[in-house]
Amino acid sequence: MSGGKLSPKFLTASVLVSITYLVRPGAPPVVAASLVSSLQVAAVAPSQESERQREARLVEGAKKEGKLMFWTGGTAKDWQYVFSKFRQKYMFLTTDYWRATDADLYQKITTEARAGQYNVDVSGADVEYLQQLKNAGLMKKYNWPNTAGWSPQYKDREGYWIAHHVLCLVPAYNTNLVSAAEAPKSWDDLLDPKWNKAISMDKDGGDWVLMLWSAWGKEKTVKYLKQLARNNLVFGEGAGARTQMLAAGAVKIDVRLNLHQILEYQKKNAPLDWVRTDPILSRPGPLFIAQHAPHPNAAALFGDWFSSLEGQQTYYEASGKLVPDPKVKSHLSEALKGLKISVLPAELTVRGNEAGAIWRDIFWK
């Protein structure tokens, strides 16, 4: 017995003990035998359901529902491509989706729930909202049958969510302004005084503090940030805009950019390279099935398909981001080969306010 689940053998043994109380004294043996047989089938049948049987059951239910409601904070074109591939396989389903910021998604889900309204089947969520959604009973505990080979960092250990992508964040530099010889090679290299006023960063670095905290612990993180602050960072907004500024030569280095975007710029011969830090910081992009999904079979069907190799490959093709399935080979996974990746755990995000305060106290006072 493990993970809080009862094995078929344990269930059968429990059933046999219960028979003493269910079958009247003196009943014919065939009665007891029949009852035991029926209860054994009920206990064992779920574990014996094949992948094909499972899909057939979900398809039958989803056909009656006819729709999948999906809410996301991701890029519209990425999900349009994903849904087009999903509908090619399950043409009987229509997919409606609502796109908003992660904060608005959380607000809409929780506000509607308080009013007793449940309109979403599958939703994205920022990692900082997961604990609150889970505590509110708005996330379905699901077995995600295709994720057995995934790293535990990329899924909730109780099954409440999976990562639909992993956002890797790295320091990067302009190769026209920084030679390979003098380029930083580690986190400590960024502390060199020669980078004074040469490093840019997002003005809101609370989540970055949490990622460092997850990798190093709070004490080392605070010490490092105080040393980094001596280099008088230049602050901007948005990783996309700062990547453009770095490529244009407005600054020499940026300490927190999206790796998949750097690789895309490199394909276009932009003068950018990135630092292979130990570890590489990252955060998951969670996806969950709603506890009160109005179309539960369609939701499960999408969850199973999306977490399959086909679904994972589709999302990588659409977004270019790192996906959790190690069987998906990509330019990004090759670039990260041999490097340690530290993933921000959802449990640590409850310290988000404290992390934000640390950032402001060090860099904005």
Side-chain angles (χ1 to χ4, degrees):
M1 194 164 57
S2 62
K5 295 183 179 179
L6 300 180
S7 71
K9 289 184 179 179
F10 180 87
L11 287 170
T12 302
S14 300
V15 166
L16 288 171
V17 171
S18 301
I19 292 300
T20 304
Y21 301 97
L22 293 173
V23 181
R24 68 182 185 277
V30 67
V31 174
S34 176
L35 183 55
V36 171
S37 176
S38 297
L39 291 173
Q40 283 180 328
V41 169
V44 177
S47 65
Q48 293 180 340
E49 184 181 45
S50 69
E51 182 179 342
R52 183 172 295 180
Q53 289 171 327
R54 174 188 174 86
E55 183 181 28
R57 172 173 56 81
L58 293 177
V59 165
E60 182 179 1
K63 283 182 176 179
K64 297 174 183 176
E65 296 164 353
K67 180 184 292 188
L68 173 75
M69 293 295 299
F70 187 93
W71 294 356
T72 179
T75 306
K77 68 177 182 62
D78 294 351
W79 287 109
Q80 288 170 354
Y81 180 76
V82 169
F83 293 141
S84 70
K85 292 291 187 179
F86 177 65
R87 287 194 302 267
Q88 286 177 17
K89 188 168 185 178
Y90 303 109
M91 293 181 288
F92 53 85
L93 281 174
T94 61
T95 51
D96 292 344
Y97 76 99
W98 180 66
R99 181 173 173 267
T101 65
D102 289 305
D104 287 342
L105 282 173
Y106 173 75
Q107 186 67 32
K108 184 175 177 65
I109 291 171
T110 53
T111 300
E112 290 191 354
R114 286 193 291 270
Q117 299 177 15
Y118 304 102
N119 296 310
V120 62
D121 294 310
V122 180
S123 180
D126 190 276
V127 64
E128 69 177 288
Y129 298 118
L130 292 179
Q131 290 299 110
Q132 299 169 66
L133 291 167
K134 181 179 177 180
N135 293 340
L138 298 175
M139 304 169 73
K140 181 179 177 62
K141 189 174 183 178
Y142 194 61
N143 66 2
W144 304 99
N146 297 313
T147 64
W150 293 16
S151 167
Q153 296 185 104
Y154 302 149
K155 57 185 178 180
D156 179 60
R157 60 177 175 268
E158 296 181 279
Y160 285 100
W161 59 269
I162 60 170
H164 63 78
H165 72 262
V166 182
L167 192 63
C168 295
L169 302 156
V170 298
Y173 58 92
N174 185 301
T175 56
N176 288 338
L177 303 177
V178 180
S179 69
E182 68 173 339
K185 307 294 190 302
S186 67
W187 288 110
D188 285 345
D189 286 350
L190 295 167
L191 304 178
D192 193 313
K194 70 182 178 182
W195 304 127
N196 184 42
K197 296 182 180 180
I199 301 175
S200 63
M201 170 63 183
D202 198 295
K203 69 175 185 178
D204 183 6
D207 69 327
W208 193 62
V209 174
L210 279 180
M211 284 183 270
L212 289 171
W213 185 337
S214 173
W216 294 341
K218 178 182 174 181
E219 184 178 349
K220 181 178 177 179
T221 296
V222 171
K223 180 180 179 181
Y224 180 83
L225 292 174
K226 287 180 177 179
Q227 292 176 298
L228 183 64
R230 295 172 188 165
N231 275 338
N232 298 296
L233 273 59
V234 178
F235 296 104
E237 289 190 61
R242 296 196 332 274
T243 303
Q244 290 179 357
M245 295 295 288
L246 182 65
V251 291
K252 293 181 177 181
I253 300 171
D254 192 286
V255 78
R256 182 194 182 281
L257 292 179
N258 299 330
L259 177 57
H260 71 281
Q261 292 181 333
I262 296 296
L263 297 182
E264 287 300 313
Y265 269 75
Q266 287 181 330
K267 288 180 182 178
K268 300 173 184 177
N269 297 317
L272 296 180
D273 204 352
W274 56 286
V275 185
R276 279 70 171 170
T277 55
D278 180 17
I280 300 292
L281 302 181
S282 73
R283 54 182 293 148
L287 189 76
F288 69 93
I289 296 175
Q291 175 64 35
H292 304 285
H295 313 102
N297 291 287
L301 200 62
F302 180 80
D304 288 3
W305 175 83
F306 185 81
S307 58
S308 71
L309 180 57
E310 179 186 357
Q312 290 285 283
Q313 184 68 45
T314 297
Y315 187 76
Y316 167 69
E317 292 171 0
S319 68
K321 297 175 182 176
L322 182 68
V323 292
D325 193 329
K327 295 189 294 294
V328 175
K329 303 304 179 185
S330 65
H331 184 42
L332 190 54
S333 63
E334 285 298 311
L336 290 165
K337 185 176 291 186
L339 299 175
K340 179 183 177 182
I341 301 176
S342 174
V343 183
L344 174 64
E347 294 79 10
L348 188 58
T349 60
V350 298
R351 311 297 290 272
N353 289 337
E354 184 180 356
I358 289 172
W359 176 260
R360 291 188 296 273
D361 288 345
I362 293 175
F363 290 97
W364 289 101
K365 281 191 175 181

